[in-house]
Amino acid sequence: MKNLQKYILPLLIVVVIGMVYLFYFKTDNKLGSFSAFDTNNSAVKDIKVKVLIERGISNNSFYVSDNDGTIVLVQADKIPDGINNSNTVILRGHLNKESFHAHDVLLN
């Protein structure tokens, strides 16, 4: 019985770490929502969105769509090469009243 008791605590620790990973850190393939952003807040957040290539990419701007179907113009500091071949991207920035200002555009 004493032998069994010294394995219970390490087993519980491993189970808790596994649950934290599965429910908190594991990324999913779902798109984000612009409704989670506040236009009065300039805090930089990440959001995964679908690139609307058919609307065109010009200068440092392009259009994206979120999980709710909201279409937003993105004004990026720099657009990475290969965005034409990417279906989704992760934007790091903040939402303005008329567009999303992306400090970083990360390809998936």
Side-chain angles (χ1 to χ4, degrees):
M1 186 69 176
K2 243 184 191 316
N3 221 3
L4 181 64
Q5 286 178 344
K6 64 180 171 179
Y7 292 116
I8 291 176
L9 183 61
L11 181 63
L12 286 174
I13 292 172
V14 168
V15 168
V16 168
I17 290 172
M19 289 179 69
V20 167
Y21 171 76
L22 285 176
F23 294 113
Y24 188 74
F25 290 113
K26 188 174 181 186
T27 59
D28 55 358
N29 290 328
K30 294 172 63 176
L31 298 177
S33 177
F34 285 114
S35 64
F37 287 82
D38 182 12
T39 57
N40 296 322
N41 189 351
S42 61
V44 175
K45 293 183 181 179
D46 290 357
I47 183 171
K48 184 175 182 179
V49 291
K50 179 182 177 187
V51 180
L52 301 176
I53 297 175
E54 62 273 3
R55 289 208 166 191
I57 298 172
S58 61
N59 295 336
N60 282 338
S61 64
F62 58 97
Y63 286 91
V64 296
S65 174
D66 69 352
N67 191 33
D68 302 326
T70 305
I71 297 173
V72 174
L73 174 67
V74 175
Q75 300 287 337
D77 291 343
K78 182 178 185 268
I79 297 177
D81 295 334
I83 195 168
N84 292 330
N85 301 328
S86 182
N87 189 28
T88 60
V89 293
I90 297 174
L91 301 175
R92 183 169 289 149
H94 59 275
L95 186 63
N96 299 325
K97 291 184 180 177
E98 61 275 343
S99 65
F100 186 90
H101 180 233
H103 299 285
D104 288 320
V105 178
L106 309 171
L107 301 177
N108 280 340

